[in-house]
Structures are given as structure tokens and as C-alpha cells.
Amino acid sequence: MSKDDTPRTELQARRERLVLDHFADETRQDFDAVLGTFPHPHYELVPSGEVHDGIAQVRQYYIDTRRAFPDQRHEIIQLRHADDSVIVEFWLLGTHKGPLKGLPPTGNSFRCRMNAFFIFEGDRLVCERVYFDTLTMLRQLLAGVPAEQVGALVGGLLGQPAAARAAAETATA
């Protein structure tokens, strides 16, 4: 991880420690500990427009993504402070070994550069907002998939029920 030598305020140091613990707990898949970093868990995935609000929804998000990518992990590139947030640039990595929104496992690995804004009110984490390029990830996950199957698979990922059914039927055929 690359960090500058800018002195941290006490508040920034507390926020940074919480964010680093959050990342470490996610990698260890200690979801109770991750959920404990929020008074009210709230995730926003900007590329897909998904919002996971509350303990049950965020826990389900963790379960679903780790079913798809059991070895999901992070490599932090840079951590920055803003007035109300800690901004983390990182690589997200994993291997697609389980279903992901209608996309059957491809066995492919991915490495995608991302930014997460950890939004705070004082020293309380109130939101994790994640930005990434979906195409970067999809290109890696769909490598080697026959061209005639790609449309149905991508449609399933986009929440189109008919495309998701077609993807499931194609995968079992």
C-alpha cells in the first residue's frame, strides 16, 4: 500500500484504522466484524445501481459475492482522506467459482481496479460507496465463453429475467 507522509488528525487516524480493519475482516470473511464497523450497514455499488441497506441485506450481499468468488480479496493501492470520508483505491481479485446473478461459474479469475468511498459522520461509518468499471470485470470473467452465450449471460447480470433463464438453460445444455 502506498501512503503519503501527511500528518493525520486523531479523527483521520481512527477512521483509517476502522477502514483498514473493515478491509481485513472482509478478506477473512468475518462478516460479523465487518458489519460491526457500521452503526447501520449501507453499501452502494454505483455501476449496477445496487443499494444494500441494513444488516440483512448487506450480509446477503456478502454471502452472494463470496459464493461467486470464494477467494475474493483486496490489494490496497492508495488511501486518502477527505473531510467526511476515507477514499481507498484498490485492486479487487477473485476466481469465479459460483453463480453470479444468472452467470454460471466460468472458473476465470479477475483483477479490477476500484475506488471505495467510506463516508463518515464524525467517526461513525455510514456508507461504503464503490465505483468500478463493470466491463473490465466482465471481460475477464467471460473470457473463453462461446460468443453465442455471451448475450444471454450479460442480460442475466443486468437483471433481465428472460436472459437469466436463457443463460441457465444454456449452461445446463
Side-chain angles (χ1 to χ4, degrees):
M1 172 175 66
S2 172
K3 282 178 56 171
D4 63 28
D5 293 328
T6 305
R8 305 279 187 255
T9 66
E10 195 173 309
L11 178 60
Q12 288 173 326
R14 283 195 311 273
R15 289 175 174 176
E16 185 171 315
R17 178 77 268 147
L18 186 140
V19 167
L20 292 173
D21 289 347
H22 180 103
F23 266 92
D25 294 338
E26 278 187 337
T27 298
R28 281 197 323 275
Q29 297 189 25
D30 184 351
F31 301 133
D32 289 332
V34 181
L35 291 166
T37 62
F38 295 92
H40 178 86
H42 185 85
Y43 271 72
E44 297 174 3
L45 304 176
V46 174
S48 64
E50 291 175 62
V51 174
H52 304 282
D53 188 62
I55 290 173
Q57 287 183 15
V58 173
R59 185 181 300 280
Q60 191 61 52
Y61 163 71
Y62 293 147
I63 291 167
D64 293 344
T65 55
R66 291 347 180 262
R67 183 178 301 128
F69 307 104
D71 62 344
Q72 182 173 309
R73 60 206 181 278
H74 316 82
E75 293 175 2
I76 296 176
I77 299 166
Q78 182 74 42
L79 186 142
R80 295 173 176 83
H81 293 271
D83 289 342
D84 69 344
S85 57
V86 175
I87 304 161
V88 184
E89 184 178 9
F90 63 99
W91 291 102
L92 185 68
L93 304 97
T95 308
H96 189 200
K97 295 189 174 194
L100 176 68
K101 298 181 185 176
L103 177 63
T106 62
N108 291 340
S109 294
F110 75 92
R111 178 180 171 95
C112 185
R113 196 169 192 144
M114 300 190 170
N115 287 296
F117 286 67
F118 289 83
I119 311 298
F120 285 85
E121 290 177 357
D123 59 1
R124 296 173 345 124
L125 177 61
V126 296
C127 178
E128 181 178 350
R129 185 174 300 134
V130 185
Y131 296 83
F132 60 97
D133 177 23
T134 306
L135 186 57
T136 295
M137 187 180 289
L138 279 177
R139 190 173 47 240
Q140 295 172 60
L141 294 178
L142 295 174
V145 172
E148 62 274 5
Q149 294 179 15
V150 170
L153 294 173
V154 171
L157 285 172
L158 296 174
Q160 299 169 349
R165 282 192 300 278
E169 291 168 9
T170 302
T172 59

